[in-house]
Amino acid sequence: EVQLVESGGGLVQPGGSLRLSCAASGLPFSVYWMTWVRQAPGKGLEWVANIIKQDGSEKYYVDSVKGRFTISRDNAKKSLYLQMNSLRAEDTAVYYCARFIEGAGMDVWGQGTTVTVSS
Amino acid sequence: DIQMTQSPSTLSASVGDRVTITCRASQSISTSLAWYQQKPGKAPKLLIYKASSLESGVPSRFSGSGSGTEFTLTISGLLPDDFATYYCQQYKSYSWTFGQGTKVEIK
């Protein structure tokens, strides 16, 4: 069974850091584009970042997280990461990792991990 | 950046109704559009990709159409399981964007 499992969420103070992880199983992880999507409480989906080459060399970010968040992957560990620095209250959300099939959308999603930024 | 605008924001309908949700892009995205369904507390589920291709396992009452800047998601014969929030998402550029969502409620 193809599965993505996120971890690493929690409560952090404004200005703090957090590293999210996403472990993949049941799929050949290295060949796929991967992405992070978040959803603030009561709000819609927001794309956060994606990594579109197997070696992790090409990455894109939504403007609001550029310079603060870093997406990365470890193909040997079948894992995706999101390093989040200088966190703000507006980063509070459920963070999902997802697999993106080129030309076809995000077909496999994790269950989400909750990040709360508050003092 | 490409902006995606969905309408309506909320839609009240009855079981058996045919419903249509519209998504407009701020510039042409060809057919680089996907539709997702999300239920409360759950991850989104891919329904449609390439604007009109049905994801494997998704019931045929769901259909998508459009190209360029205007797209629609149609549910033909609403079932109780279909009451949820629906999002469009463009992937024409590498900076992806979602529409703001359409909540389909029970009338």
Side-chain angles (χ1 to χ4, degrees):
Chain A
E1 180 190 1
V2 176
Q3 196 173 13
L4 297 172
V5 178
E6 301 97 336
S7 60
L11 174 63
V12 61
Q13 291 188 338
S17 297
L18 215 51
R19 188 195 196 206
L20 305 184
S21 299
C22 171
S25 61
L27 68 155
F29 179 79
S30 64
V31 303
Y32 292 110
W33 300 8
M34 298 295 296
T35 188
W36 288 97
V37 173
R38 67 184 178 184
Q39 187 167 37
K43 302 296 185 182
L45 301 173
E46 181 183 39
W47 166 75
V48 174
N50 56 30
I51 189 162
I52 65 165
K53 287 201 171 173
Q54 292 183 29
D55 63 0
S57 61
E58 195 163 343
K59 309 170 187 181
Y60 296 87
Y61 301 90
V62 68
D63 285 347
S64 60
V65 309
K66 283 180 183 175
R68 301 189 299 124
F69 289 13
T70 302
I71 188 172
S72 62
R73 67 192 300 162
D74 185 331
N75 291 332
K77 294 183 178 179
K78 288 192 170 183
S79 291
L80 177 73
Y81 305 101
L82 187 68
Q83 177 66 44
M84 304 186 295
N85 299 329
S86 303
L87 283 161
R88 307 167 180 167
E90 54 265 35
D91 296 318
T92 294
V94 175
Y95 285 73
Y96 296 100
C97 67
R99 177 178 82 172
F100 182 86
I101 300 293
E102 189 176 356
M106 304 173 197
D107 70 328
V108 180
W109 293 70
Q111 84 288 353
T113 187
T114 300
V115 172
T116 303
V117 184
S118 175
S119 55
Chain B
D1 289 356
I2 301 173
Q3 307 302 316
M4 306 301 292
T5 304
Q6 279 182 243
S7 60
S9 297
T10 306
L11 190 161
S12 296
S14 301
V15 172
D17 284 354
R18 175 186 172 98
V19 301
T20 298
I21 299 167
T22 298
C23 181
R24 289 186 174 87
S26 59
Q27 64 189 76
S28 177
I29 58 170
S30 185
T31 56
S32 299
L33 185 103
W35 289 97
Y36 301 86
Q37 176 194 67
Q38 188 182 33
K39 297 181 178 178
K42 300 294 187 182
K45 173 187 175 183
L46 178 65
L47 299 175
I48 302 283
Y49 62 94
K50 286 182 185 175
S52 61
S53 296
L54 194 66
E55 172 71 354
S56 175
V58 174
S60 59
R61 63 181 180 274
F62 291 92
S63 63
S65 65
S67 66
T69 61
E70 189 147 338
F71 303 86
T72 58
L73 173 71
T74 299
I75 311 172
S76 301
L78 206 59
L79 294 183
D81 190 50
D82 300 335
F83 292 97
T85 302
Y86 294 84
Y87 296 91
C88 62
Q89 179 239 335
Q90 69 80 18
Y91 48 89
K92 177 64 174 176
S93 68
Y94 289 131
S95 293
W96 303 333
T97 42
F98 288 90
Q100 79 277 18
T102 295
K103 185 175 183 180
V104 178
E105 297 182 329
I106 301 173
K107 184 184 283 184

